[in-house]
Amino acid sequence: MTMSSLRISILMWLSLTVIFGGLYPALVTGISKAIFPAQATGSLIRDEAVRVVGSRLVGQEFSDPDYFWGRLSATVPMPYNAASSSGSNYGPNNDDLMKTVQARVKALHDADPGNESDVPVDLVTASASGLDPDISIAAARYQAARVARLRGLTEKDIDDLITKNTQPRAFGVLGEPVVNVLMLNLDIHRKAAHATGGKR
Amino acid sequence: MNMSFNDALQIFLYFLVLFVCVKPLGIFMSRVYQGERTFLSGALGWLEKGIYKISGVNPEEEMTWKAYAWHVTIFSTVCFAALYAILRLQAGLPFNPEKMAGLSPDLAFNTAASFTTNTNWQAYGGETTMSYLTQMAGLGVQNFISAAVGMAVMASFIRSFVRKNSGTIGNFWADMVRGLVYILLPLSFVLALVLVGQGVVQTFGSSVEAHLLDPLKTSAHVVNTQTIAVGPAASQVSIKQLGTNGGGFFNVNSAHPLENPTALSNFLEMLAILLIPAACCYAFGHMVGDTRQGWAILAVMTIICLPLLIFCYGQEQGGNPRLAALGHIEQRQGIYQSGGNMEGKEDRFGVVNSAIWATTTTAASNGSVNSMHDSYTSLGGLVPMLMMQFSEIIYGGVGCGLYGMLVYALITVFIAGLMVGRTPEYLGKKIQAYEIKMSSVVLLVPLFCTLLGAAVAVLTSAGQAGPFNTGAHGFSEILYGFSSAGNNNGSAFAGLGADTPFYNEVLGISMLLSRFWCMLPVLAIAGSLSAKNAVPPSAGTLPTHTPLFIFLLTGVVLMVGVLTYVPALALGPLADYFQTLHSIHQG
């Protein structure tokens, strides 16, 4: 019984590996390429020179005050390292978490000293993936006046761009409404470049 | 606790859609495991027959429980060895565009044990460790196989209630191949394509270089580009969700925006976690000819799961009390933000979808995550840990969740029988000393692996080196890790530095023991029940579909299953909770 069982097992493993490890992913890849070519390759965004400037779905680090900032990212060795996703894994009572949060609150205040409102929590905490492309609408509104001032744009301009880049709940129910930070900043970059004759 | 209307609606919709799917899928699964023709027989019959032909299997051959168990063991050993070899040798194998090196012996052992036991504990980061070939032909194949093996054992176990005076419980190869071809393959295929439509990546191309809009200025240099890891993810994500595997393509699993990009992809991936485990209940009722039996089991699972889910949600939505104490931070929920404890959570999911996922992924032995459980509040994080300590029977793994719960049903009729001094029966079969002895093994092995493993870890310097956080939360990380391996879940408090020889070996052994020393006694019970004649129900028979039985079974699961862990939980999450209060008090 041992030998026949072993022979069947090996042949079974081989045939299942060909079907489920080879044909199945190849078929999914082939069909995806045909019907969802953009999504299958990572929802990439290209500029006028057809250069990849990012993925619609993957966040990027923004630290200049004239851009909207995203979530904190705990990836190493630099934030938003999309080759090695990671959360912070700080426990809720970890003193280092408190230090990181306090430093972020301070950085936000330093970038916009006149802003006295409380900081939305998602702006001072690290996302699960370290690659969260989004912020809450509250987090976008918190930063709107700062970006408008530094960019020489009206708050109305900025509000319109926030609305344009807001993803509502799916079917009005599922998930949370969010603002895509990279797409928003790309729009602001274009608008500002247009307004100042292409400085940046 | 306040729950917003929309959050309540999302939880309601989740269970509504799940329960709507239970009956049609359950009937379909029942037909598949009874070898009947289904609407897929025409389209996929050739594949089933082809696999039998190549491997030299006669699907009609009936097996005793010993023969069945033997084939399970030999086949699992072959799968383990093959996966171990692929992991060690991947550097020299094709489809390795990122030039990943072979794994160390201990990490390869741990990963091979993890994926052949349907645990999918990951002591590695997918995008930094595994080649595309390893992901597809190594890990992906085991996602399918380990799920189908669990479902096969379940089918044989259910059969043993139906058969009378028979020495056999079915054919392992036929049970496994039918589950693969008719249930797992079509569902995974459809889900994978929908997920790609939502933005889950699926390509054989290598990683992408993006030019940053706002270059990153570090003290040493300026970073102008972002390297985005991609790969054939969708085909693997769909089966890891459906097969209660849970091993992510990327390190952060379904928190990664290329593995779970939208609210809709999240809903479908969450649905896939409980879909087959819940449908197994209906399939069980259908196969034994009394669907009320299946609903009763499903009711017990839901009665335990739902309150804990709502508790977890409440804790997370309440936010982190220490952040509240810092001031200047808005954690309250409003129309413009989900608020709550957002450390380790993604904005597109918010608190409610993180809590649903965390609870269901640990209730089912899935273990995938869309948020980082390590960063949950002390009591919020207690919920996923507790769900695993229920021995993965609250929905549980595909197949193994149901057979685990049925073992608890046997214990329940036994305890009820003791109360009235009658020989207990379940579904017309007398439950005697042999069945109860084997059931006790099933109950005790995961407990033993969890508590003994955690005890060894806290007593040795190699184990003490693991936790990333300090104090009670560090102990929680260890306890969570052993609960995960000892119950074949696979989720982690990911701060635990688990890629060390100590953790790789001890957790690997723990996963193997827990999987096979639960599966073998279950098959032994199946053999014994199958050989018995049926006894007609009498006035003294305890009906097993009534609210009374649901109440009894829930009680037994709570008392026998989880009470054992209370002392350990007091040292971990509960102590962590009080430490947090203390820190705030100290200012």
Side-chain angles (χ1 to χ4, degrees):
Chain A
M1 192 157 98
T2 312
M3 282 321 287
S4 85
S5 169
L6 193 61
R7 191 177 50 82
I8 295 174
S9 293
I10 291 170
L11 292 170
M12 185 64 81
W13 179 81
L14 276 173
S15 51
L16 296 182
T17 299
V18 169
I19 296 164
F20 292 93
L23 298 178
Y24 160 73
L27 195 61
V28 174
T29 308
I31 297 175
S32 303
K33 201 169 183 171
I35 56 178
F36 302 119
Q39 290 94 321
T41 47
S43 308
L44 302 174
I45 317 161
R46 293 168 195 276
D47 62 10
E48 300 80 4
V50 209
R51 208 172 58 149
V52 175
V53 294
S55 161
R56 185 170 55 80
L57 298 174
V58 178
Q60 292 181 5
E61 169 77 352
F62 290 96
S63 50
D64 281 355
D66 56 357
Y67 279 119
F68 280 86
W69 296 358
R71 305 287 307 276
L72 286 177
S73 165
T75 60
V76 288
M78 65 281 204
Y80 289 91
N81 178 4
S84 182
S85 55
S86 172
S88 75
N89 289 315
Y90 283 136
N93 195 25
N94 192 316
D95 290 333
D96 289 339
L97 170 63
M98 303 312 139
K99 285 182 197 137
T100 313
V101 169
Q102 277 172 311
R104 177 68 161 191
V105 171
K106 182 168 182 302
L108 284 160
H109 279 166
D110 289 351
D112 190 12
N115 190 346
E116 293 294 321
S117 17
D118 286 348
V119 185
V121 64
D122 60 324
L123 268 188
V124 301
T125 46
S127 62
S129 61
L131 304 173
D132 194 339
D134 304 315
I135 51 176
S136 64
I137 299 174
R141 291 164 69 104
Y142 175 85
Q143 303 180 72
R146 182 193 80 213
V147 176
R149 192 173 64 244
L150 293 172
R151 288 285 177 173
L153 298 169
T154 66
E155 292 207 26
K156 165 96 177 46
D157 288 338
I158 295 288
D159 284 345
D160 289 346
L161 290 180
I162 291 176
T163 310
K164 179 187 162 212
N165 289 292
T166 299
Q167 174 76 41
R169 290 194 168 101
F171 313 112
V173 182
L174 301 179
E176 301 291 336
V178 284
V179 181
N180 187 307
V181 180
L182 176 59
M183 302 304 275
L184 175 61
N185 282 335
L186 279 169
D187 276 346
I188 283 168
H189 176 71
R190 282 190 209 107
K191 194 162 186 101
H194 180 71
T196 61
K199 188 187 114 247
R200 279 183 74 99
Chain B
M1 183 192 81
N2 292 314
M3 184 183 285
S4 77
F5 174 74
N6 196 71
D7 288 351
L9 188 60
Q10 293 197 64
I11 296 175
F12 173 76
L13 274 179
Y14 175 73
F15 282 97
L16 179 74
V17 175
L18 176 70
F19 291 143
V20 165
C21 297
V22 158
K23 187 175 171 182
L25 182 58
I27 292 175
F28 176 75
M29 288 175 65
S30 165
R31 294 225 168 99
V32 166
Y33 284 114
Q34 294 179 90
E36 295 171 17
R37 272 193 74 82
T38 65
F39 72 103
L40 287 176
S41 302
L44 293 169
W46 61 273
L47 190 58
E48 184 197 351
K49 291 191 190 77
I51 295 172
Y52 295 147
K53 194 156 186 206
I54 293 170
S55 343
V57 165
N58 172 14
E60 306 299 327
E61 183 193 329
E62 282 291 330
M63 294 178 181
T64 63
W65 82 264
K66 283 181 183 159
Y68 203 104
W70 182 253
H71 286 286
V72 169
T73 311
I74 296 290
F75 182 58
S76 298
T77 310
V78 166
C79 289
F80 175 90
L83 180 54
Y84 182 84
I86 292 176
L87 293 168
R88 295 281 287 145
L89 301 173
Q90 69 169 2
L93 298 171
F95 287 103
N96 187 6
E98 306 297 331
K99 305 275 178 290
M100 300 295 184
L103 273 61
S104 67
D106 56 291
L107 182 57
F109 165 76
N110 180 280
T111 308
S114 172
F115 278 74
T116 42
T117 58
N118 198 252
T119 309
N120 300 38
W121 171 266
Q122 295 173 291
Y124 61 86
E127 68 269 46
T128 53
T129 318
M130 300 298 179
S131 75
Y132 293 171
L133 183 94
T134 307
Q135 293 270 20
M136 293 186 296
L139 308 178
V141 170
Q142 283 312 312
N143 281 349
F144 278 100
I145 290 177
S146 63
V149 169
M151 285 155 63
V153 172
M154 172 198 77
S156 72
F157 191 54
I158 297 173
R159 230 172 255 137
S160 72
F161 289 101
V162 181
R163 293 192 176 175
K164 296 178 190 70
N165 305 319
S166 156
T168 61
I169 57 171
N171 182 297
F172 167 62
W173 302 114
D175 286 343
M176 181 184 72
V177 171
R178 283 176 188 149
L180 282 170
V181 169
Y182 297 117
I183 301 168
L184 296 173
L185 181 62
L187 281 172
S188 304
F189 182 72
V190 172
L191 181 61
L193 290 179
V194 176
L195 290 178
V196 177
Q198 288 297 301
V200 178
V201 69
Q202 178 75 24
T203 172
F204 293 145
S206 58
S207 59
V208 182
E209 290 289 316
H211 297 267
L212 291 177
L213 185 55
D214 185 17
L216 201 65
K217 284 135 274 195
T218 65
S219 51
H221 54 288
V222 177
V223 181
N224 287 303
T225 58
Q226 180 187 43
T227 305
I228 303 173
V230 294
S235 55
Q236 193 147 328
V237 172
S238 61
I239 181 61
K240 70 123 169 157
Q241 294 303 106
L242 286 161
T244 56
N245 299 284
F249 189 88
F250 298 105
N251 184 40
V252 293
N253 212 300
S254 279
H256 198 294
L258 292 177
E259 187 155 336
N260 186 9
T262 66
L264 183 60
S265 71
N266 186 68
F267 186 82
L268 295 172
E269 289 184 22
M270 287 198 306
L271 187 66
I273 293 175
L274 290 192
L275 182 65
I276 295 179
C280 282
C281 297
Y282 195 90
F284 157 67
H286 198 260
M287 282 173 81
V288 299
D290 181 2
T291 51
R292 296 172 308 179
Q293 303 291 342
W295 286 120
I297 297 288
L298 189 60
V300 172
M301 295 172 172
T302 309
I303 285 169
I304 294 175
C305 180
L306 196 56
L308 285 167
L309 193 170
I310 291 168
F311 177 76
C312 179
Y313 163 85
Q315 291 299 314
E316 294 309 296
Q317 192 63 68
N320 184 335
R322 283 198 67 187
L323 290 200
L326 290 178
H328 309 297
I329 298 165
E330 181 58 88
Q331 293 194 83
R332 282 173 303 178
Q333 187 174 26
I335 49 169
Y336 293 128
Q337 70 163 5
S338 84
N341 175 27
M342 284 302 286
E343 182 72 19
K345 293 191 180 63
E346 299 278 298
D347 259 317
R348 62 194 177 284
F349 309 140
V351 167
V352 67
N353 287 292
S354 301
I356 298 176
W357 190 301
T359 311
T360 55
T361 195
T362 46
S365 83
N366 190 294
S368 62
V369 295
N370 75 347
S371 58
M372 292 297 125
H373 298 180
D374 211 347
S375 297
Y376 272 43
T377 60
S378 311
L379 298 182
L382 183 147
V383 170
M385 195 175 335
L386 193 64
M387 291 316 278
M388 296 189 297
Q389 291 165 346
F390 276 109
S391 319
E392 296 303 354
I393 55 163
I394 312 303
Y395 306 104
V398 289
C400 31
L402 184 80
Y403 68 63
M405 186 54 108
L406 291 180
V407 164
Y408 270 88
L410 300 187
I411 297 284
T412 304
V413 293
F414 172 69
I415 291 173
L418 286 181
M419 291 184 206
V420 294
R422 270 181 55 96
T423 305
E425 304 150 20
Y426 189 58
L427 306 176
K429 291 293 174 96
K430 278 207 166 87
I431 307 304
Q432 289 161 309
Y434 182 76
E435 287 80 26
I436 295 302
K437 275 182 203 159
M438 289 297 146
S439 298
S440 307
V441 175
V442 177
L443 256 57
L444 290 174
V445 165
L447 228 152
F448 172 85
C449 290
T450 304
L451 291 178
L452 200 74
V456 169
V458 294
L459 290 174
T460 54
S461 54
Q464 289 160 5
F468 165 70
N469 288 282
T470 53
H473 198 77
F475 175 69
S476 291
E477 290 182 332
I478 293 177
L479 183 63
Y480 196 99
F482 281 94
S483 301
S484 181
N487 294 285
N488 288 161
N489 181 279
S491 86
F493 269 12
L496 186 71
D499 183 16
T500 64
F502 172 81
Y503 279 105
N504 278 333
E505 285 157 17
V506 180
L507 292 171
I509 292 167
S510 188
M511 291 186 265
L512 291 168
L513 283 177
S514 172
R515 168 82 162 181
F516 293 104
W517 282 102
C518 288
M519 201 176 257
L520 298 180
V522 162
L523 286 170
I525 298 172
S528 164
L529 291 178
S530 165
K532 292 184 186 191
N533 200 355
V535 285
S538 68
T541 303
L542 174 71
T544 51
H545 61 270
T546 57
L548 175 68
F549 183 76
I550 293 171
F551 174 76
L552 266 178
L553 179 52
T554 307
V556 168
V557 169
L558 291 173
M559 299 296 170
V560 179
V562 93
L563 214 57
T564 330
Y565 289 101
V566 167
L569 289 171
L571 294 174
L574 293 178
D576 193 26
Y577 173 70
F578 289 112
Q579 274 181 352
T580 307
L581 295 186
H582 181 70
S583 306
I584 294 166
H585 188 67
Q586 297 287 303

